Amino acid sequence: MNDKRTEELNPYALGIAQFDRAVAYLDGIKAGLKDYFKSPKRTISVSFPVVMDDDSVRTFHGYRVLHNSALGPGKGGIRYHPEVCADSVRALAALMTWKCALADLPFGGAKGGVACDTKSLSDAEVRRITRRFVGELGDNIGPDTDIPAPDLYTNEQTMAWIFDTYDIMHPGANNRPVVTGKPLELGGSQGRNEATGLGCAIAARQLMARGMVDGLDSFQGTRVAVQGFGNVGLAAARSMEEMGARVIAISDSQGGIQADEGINLSAALAWKQQHGTVVGLPDTLSITNDELLALDCDVLVPAALGQEIRADNAHTVRARLIVEGANGPVTPEGDVILQDRGIVVLPDILANVGGVIVSYYEWVQNKENDQWDVETVHRKLDAKLVRAVDSVINRYKILTEGDGEPAAKDRAGAGGEAGGKGQRVSAAAEAARIDLRLAAMVVAIRRVARVTLQRGIWI
Ligand code: NAD
């Protein structure tokens, strides 16, 4: 049994801690902006009644947070989960701001959700919740203001209902860009389904090619273990296999399977569709999820839940590279232990940004009433992700290859891209460890800070 209680794991507190750690390397940032970036621009909280199938009426609570819109309209998922609350939505909205900035997308960060358990709701009830929620949000979402997407327990059907409701409320306009992750027939993008997992593989490929992982320069011949065989995990496994890797273990909520000679992913998918789990696939060994995390492999892809690799189990990991397919699978204390052990973490903000990149492509296609072929989407995704990975590696090098002083290496402040040397930072920054997560946050916050100042702070 894992004990998570030893660490502070409130998502909002974790997000603020991550921000504070990075912002210490941005001492050219204008005073006051740091505080501004900690507060969401807009928080909508709604309560609304829904008629249930048994004719009773239930009240639901929903949220939509727009964290920042300096780079453009808000972008971020809508999740339906019992644990949806203002704090978790605020934390995830801020993460979207940094993710969009890192990928150089013309979007700010947003997130939303309704506290509910879809497993105990009928499709008709979920549809009524969705329509009523969109009605309550009114013009707080829109093609040029705030654009939702799928997240936990919402899918392309939910997005179709969101589009339809908004379209009925705003007749006579091209409303397709109000939401992404739609069915293909309704303006969804080719390549959206596999975008996040493929992005994990592209980002890791580039990281290895740039020599950032000792002993690994490509996927050729690497042994990969993937936790979570859902949308992200399956696409990551397939893409890494296409790049030359051998997928030796996969898992889902019911357990995992291992085969050192490689798992047949198509057979595993068919087995899961038939039996509800990958466990039991012929010619594989059954393992637990804890055993999967501790497997002797080269690349580990946690692509299920947050907070899976923590203070209490990070010492068991034997991979050389961890690719964060899920949001927040490695906790801050987990990060420190992994770094001490020389294990490289490709952070979520970079590893799983492929999904929002292709959501952006869907939005562009909708604006133009166009549909690109899948090769075009993949080519554009690859190029954009490689640029994002390069910008993080370059920043990491500036931060680590300075004059050896425990000082801020980021002399250009919020005004330019170039780095510098020499100025001291706070004790907190000195104590911070420089890793790719920190470098990625520094790149992202710099971009948002720079644009905020270029626009000029009103009045
Ligand atoms: P999904 O529901 O398609 O798949 C999740 C998988 O994880 C399922 O196979 C499930 O059985 C498995 N799982 C659940 N609990 C588990 C456990 N305790 N141990 C092992 N496996 C478990 O979800 P998804 O869309 O693939 O998302 C996975 C993660 O990636 C989430 O953290 C999500 O927030 C993040 N993410 C997804 C996207 C996207 O585009 N889908 C984008 C960015 C981040």
Side-chain angles (χ1 to χ4, degrees), residues 96-118:
M96 285 306 296
T97 297
W98 313 129
K99 238 184 226 187
C100 292
L102 185 59
D104 219 359
L105 304 177
F107 288 140
K111 204 79 176 189
V114 176
C116 64
D117 178 10
T118 52

Short mmCIF file of all heavy atoms in Angstrom, two decimals, residues 96-118:
data_model
loop_
_atom_site.label_atom_id
_atom_site.label_comp_id
_atom_site.label_asym_id
_atom_site.label_seq_id
_atom_site.Cartn_x
_atom_site.Cartn_y
_atom_site.Cartn_z
N MET A 96 -2.31 24.89 -17.93
CA MET A 96 -2.61 25.08 -19.36
C MET A 96 -1.99 26.38 -19.89
O MET A 96 -1.57 26.43 -21.04
CB MET A 96 -4.13 25.08 -19.60
CG MET A 96 -4.78 23.72 -19.54
SD MET A 96 -4.02 22.49 -20.63
CE MET A 96 -4.36 23.19 -22.24
N THR A 97 -1.95 27.42 -19.05
CA THR A 97 -1.29 28.66 -19.50
C THR A 97 0.16 28.38 -19.86
O THR A 97 0.65 28.78 -20.92
CB THR A 97 -1.33 29.73 -18.38
OG1 THR A 97 -2.68 30.06 -18.10
CG2 THR A 97 -0.57 30.99 -18.78
N TRP A 98 0.84 27.65 -18.98
CA TRP A 98 2.28 27.40 -19.21
C TRP A 98 2.46 26.42 -20.37
O TRP A 98 3.40 26.55 -21.17
CB TRP A 98 2.95 26.91 -17.92
CG TRP A 98 2.58 27.75 -16.72
CD1 TRP A 98 2.11 27.31 -15.52
CD2 TRP A 98 2.62 29.19 -16.63
NE1 TRP A 98 1.85 28.37 -14.69
CE2 TRP A 98 2.15 29.53 -15.34
CE3 TRP A 98 2.99 30.21 -17.49
CZ2 TRP A 98 2.06 30.86 -14.90
CZ3 TRP A 98 2.88 31.54 -17.06
CH2 TRP A 98 2.42 31.85 -15.79
N LYS A 99 1.56 25.45 -20.49
CA LYS A 99 1.67 24.47 -21.58
C LYS A 99 1.50 25.15 -22.94
O LYS A 99 2.27 24.91 -23.87
CB LYS A 99 0.55 23.42 -21.43
CG LYS A 99 1.05 22.01 -21.30
CD LYS A 99 -0.12 21.05 -21.24
CE LYS A 99 0.10 20.06 -20.14
NZ LYS A 99 -0.87 19.00 -20.08
N CYS A 100 0.48 25.98 -23.06
CA CYS A 100 0.23 26.66 -24.34
C CYS A 100 1.40 27.59 -24.68
O CYS A 100 1.81 27.68 -25.84
CB CYS A 100 -1.07 27.46 -24.29
SG CYS A 100 -2.53 26.41 -24.18
N ALA A 101 1.92 28.28 -23.66
CA ALA A 101 3.04 29.18 -23.92
C ALA A 101 4.27 28.40 -24.37
O ALA A 101 4.96 28.80 -25.31
CB ALA A 101 3.36 29.99 -22.65
N LEU A 102 4.51 27.27 -23.72
CA LEU A 102 5.68 26.46 -24.07
C LEU A 102 5.60 25.96 -25.51
O LEU A 102 6.60 25.89 -26.22
CB LEU A 102 5.78 25.28 -23.09
CG LEU A 102 7.00 24.39 -23.22
CD1 LEU A 102 8.27 25.21 -23.00
CD2 LEU A 102 6.94 23.26 -22.20
N ALA A 103 4.38 25.61 -25.94
CA ALA A 103 4.20 25.10 -27.30
C ALA A 103 4.06 26.24 -28.31
O ALA A 103 3.86 25.99 -29.49
CB ALA A 103 2.98 24.19 -27.36
N ASP A 104 4.13 27.48 -27.82
CA ASP A 104 4.03 28.64 -28.69
C ASP A 104 2.67 28.70 -29.39
O ASP A 104 2.59 28.97 -30.60
CB ASP A 104 5.16 28.59 -29.74
CG ASP A 104 5.72 29.98 -29.99
OD1 ASP A 104 5.20 30.93 -29.37
OD2 ASP A 104 6.65 30.10 -30.81
N LEU A 105 1.61 28.43 -28.64
CA LEU A 105 0.26 28.49 -29.19
C LEU A 105 -0.37 29.84 -28.82
O LEU A 105 -0.08 30.38 -27.75
CB LEU A 105 -0.61 27.36 -28.62
CG LEU A 105 -0.09 25.95 -28.81
CD1 LEU A 105 -1.02 24.94 -28.13
CD2 LEU A 105 0.03 25.60 -30.29
N PRO A 106 -1.25 30.36 -29.67
CA PRO A 106 -1.86 31.67 -29.36
C PRO A 106 -3.05 31.53 -28.42
O PRO A 106 -4.15 32.00 -28.70
CB PRO A 106 -2.30 32.15 -30.75
CG PRO A 106 -2.63 30.89 -31.49
CD PRO A 106 -1.69 29.84 -30.97
N PHE A 107 -2.81 30.83 -27.31
CA PHE A 107 -3.88 30.57 -26.33
C PHE A 107 -3.40 30.87 -24.92
O PHE A 107 -2.21 30.71 -24.61
CB PHE A 107 -4.26 29.08 -26.34
CG PHE A 107 -5.03 28.62 -27.56
CD1 PHE A 107 -4.74 27.39 -28.13
CD2 PHE A 107 -6.05 29.38 -28.11
CE1 PHE A 107 -5.46 26.93 -29.23
CE2 PHE A 107 -6.76 28.94 -29.22
CZ PHE A 107 -6.46 27.71 -29.78
N GLY A 108 -4.36 31.26 -24.08
CA GLY A 108 -4.11 31.30 -22.65
C GLY A 108 -4.55 29.98 -22.04
O GLY A 108 -4.90 29.04 -22.75
N GLY A 109 -4.53 29.92 -20.70
CA GLY A 109 -4.87 28.66 -20.03
C GLY A 109 -6.24 28.72 -19.39
O GLY A 109 -6.63 29.74 -18.82
N ALA A 110 -6.97 27.61 -19.50
CA ALA A 110 -8.29 27.53 -18.88
C ALA A 110 -8.56 26.07 -18.49
O ALA A 110 -7.85 25.17 -18.91
CB ALA A 110 -9.36 28.03 -19.83
N LYS A 111 -9.54 25.86 -17.69
CA LYS A 111 -9.97 24.50 -17.34
C LYS A 111 -11.36 24.60 -16.75
O LYS A 111 -11.76 25.64 -16.25
CB LYS A 111 -9.02 23.90 -16.29
CG LYS A 111 -9.01 22.39 -16.28
CD LYS A 111 -8.17 21.86 -17.41
CE LYS A 111 -8.05 20.36 -17.39
NZ LYS A 111 -7.05 19.89 -18.36
N GLY A 112 -12.10 23.49 -16.83
CA GLY A 112 -13.44 23.50 -16.26
C GLY A 112 -13.85 22.12 -15.85
O GLY A 112 -13.15 21.14 -16.12
N GLY A 113 -15.00 22.05 -15.21
CA GLY A 113 -15.47 20.73 -14.84
C GLY A 113 -16.77 20.79 -14.07
O GLY A 113 -17.21 21.86 -13.62
N VAL A 114 -17.38 19.63 -13.94
CA VAL A 114 -18.59 19.47 -13.14
C VAL A 114 -18.32 18.32 -12.17
O VAL A 114 -17.78 17.27 -12.57
CB VAL A 114 -19.81 19.13 -14.02
CG1 VAL A 114 -21.04 18.88 -13.15
CG2 VAL A 114 -20.08 20.25 -15.02
N ALA A 115 -18.64 18.55 -10.89
CA ALA A 115 -18.46 17.49 -9.90
C ALA A 115 -19.58 16.47 -10.09
O ALA A 115 -20.75 16.74 -9.77
CB ALA A 115 -18.49 18.08 -8.49
N CYS A 116 -19.25 15.31 -10.63
CA CYS A 116 -20.24 14.25 -10.84
C CYS A 116 -19.52 12.95 -11.14
O CYS A 116 -18.34 12.95 -11.51
CB CYS A 116 -21.18 14.61 -12.00
SG CYS A 116 -20.39 14.72 -13.61
N ASP A 117 -20.22 11.86 -10.97
CA ASP A 117 -19.65 10.54 -11.24
C ASP A 117 -20.37 9.95 -12.45
O ASP A 117 -21.47 9.42 -12.34
CB ASP A 117 -19.84 9.65 -10.01
CG ASP A 117 -19.30 8.25 -10.25
OD1 ASP A 117 -18.62 8.03 -11.28
OD2 ASP A 117 -19.55 7.38 -9.40
N THR A 118 -19.72 10.06 -13.61
CA THR A 118 -20.40 9.65 -14.85
C THR A 118 -20.73 8.15 -14.85
O THR A 118 -21.62 7.72 -15.55
CB THR A 118 -19.54 9.96 -16.08
OG1 THR A 118 -18.25 9.41 -15.89
CG2 THR A 118 -19.43 11.44 -16.34
#
